[in-house]
C-alpha cells in the first residue's frame, strides 16, 4: 500500500508551486496533463512507495511543468494555462486531504505580486532556482550571525 508525502503549495498568477517533502526519494515520476491532472510517485528511503494524484483547479501547460529534486524535497513548478489567481488548489470544493498544506514561505498575495513583478526579470526562473538551493529545514530560521545581532552582541 502506498503512502502520501506532505505536499506544500503556493501560487503566483502564472504558476503553482508544489513542494513534496520526501527526503532521499528514488524513482521519482511527475506527470502534468493539460486538464490539470497532476500525478506523483516515488520510492522512499526505506523502500516504501509514495504517490498521489491531484485534480488542479484550472488547466495547465504540460511543457511548462518543471521539477527540481533536492535532498529533502521535490519542488514542482506548474505553469497555468491562463494567467490569474485560483480560488483554491483543487477543482473539488471539498476540504483538501490532510497531507496538502499551504506553503506560507513561498506564498504571495495578488497585491504583493504586482509590487515585486517590477523587480523580477522576465523569466522568474532565476528567482525560483535560488529557492531550490536552500533546504526546507532553514525556512524561517535565524542564522547565527543574525541571532548575534538580535541579541546586541
Amino acid at each position: 500500500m502506498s503512502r502520501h508525502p506532505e505536499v506544500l503549495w503556493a501560487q503566483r498568477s502564472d504558476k503553482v508551486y508544489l513542494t513534496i517533502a520526501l527526503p532521499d526519494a528514488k524513482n521519482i515520476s511527475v506527470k502534468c496533463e493539460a486538464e490539470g491532472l497532476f500525478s506523483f510517485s516515488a520510492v522512499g528511503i526505506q523502500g516504501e512507495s509514495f504517490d498521489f494524484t491531484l485534480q488542479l483547479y484550472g488547466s495547465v501547460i504540460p511543457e511548462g511543468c518543471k521539477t527540481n529534486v533536492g535532498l529533502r524535497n521535490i519542488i514542482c513548478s506548474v505553469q497555468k494555462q491562463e494567467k490569474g489567481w485560483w480560488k483554491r488548489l483543487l477543482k473539488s470544493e471539498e476540504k483538501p486531504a490532510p497531507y496538502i498544506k499551504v506553503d506560507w514561505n513561498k506564498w504571495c498575495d495578488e497585491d504583493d505580486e504586482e509590487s515585486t513583478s517590477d523587480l523580477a526579470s522576465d523569466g522568474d526562473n532565476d528567482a525560483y532556482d535560488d529557492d531550490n538551493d536552500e533546504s526546507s529545514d532553514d525556512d524561517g530560521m535565524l542564522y547565527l550571525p543574525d541571532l548575534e545581532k538580535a541579541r546586541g552582541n
Side-chain angles (χ1 to χ4, degrees), residues 43-78:
V43 176
I45 194 164
Q46 296 174 343
E48 67 275 41
S49 65
F50 290 85
D51 66 34
F52 64 89
T53 301
L54 303 175
Q55 180 60 55
L56 300 176
Y57 184 79
S59 299
V60 300
I61 301 172
E63 303 80 38
C65 297
K66 295 183 171 70
T67 303
N68 186 348
V69 179
L71 292 174
R72 299 186 188 279
N73 50 38
I74 298 104
I75 300 172
C76 302
S77 168
V78 181

Side-chain angles (χ1 to χ4, degrees), residues 16-27:
V16 171
Y17 297 108
L18 298 170
T19 303
I20 303 153
L22 195 58
D24 301 318
K26 297 179 182 106
N27 301 335

Side-chain angles (χ1 to χ4, degrees), residues 142-153:
L142 279 176
Y143 292 102
L144 193 54
D146 297 333
L147 189 60
E148 294 297 321
K149 264 193 245 175
R151 285 187 186 160
N153 293 346

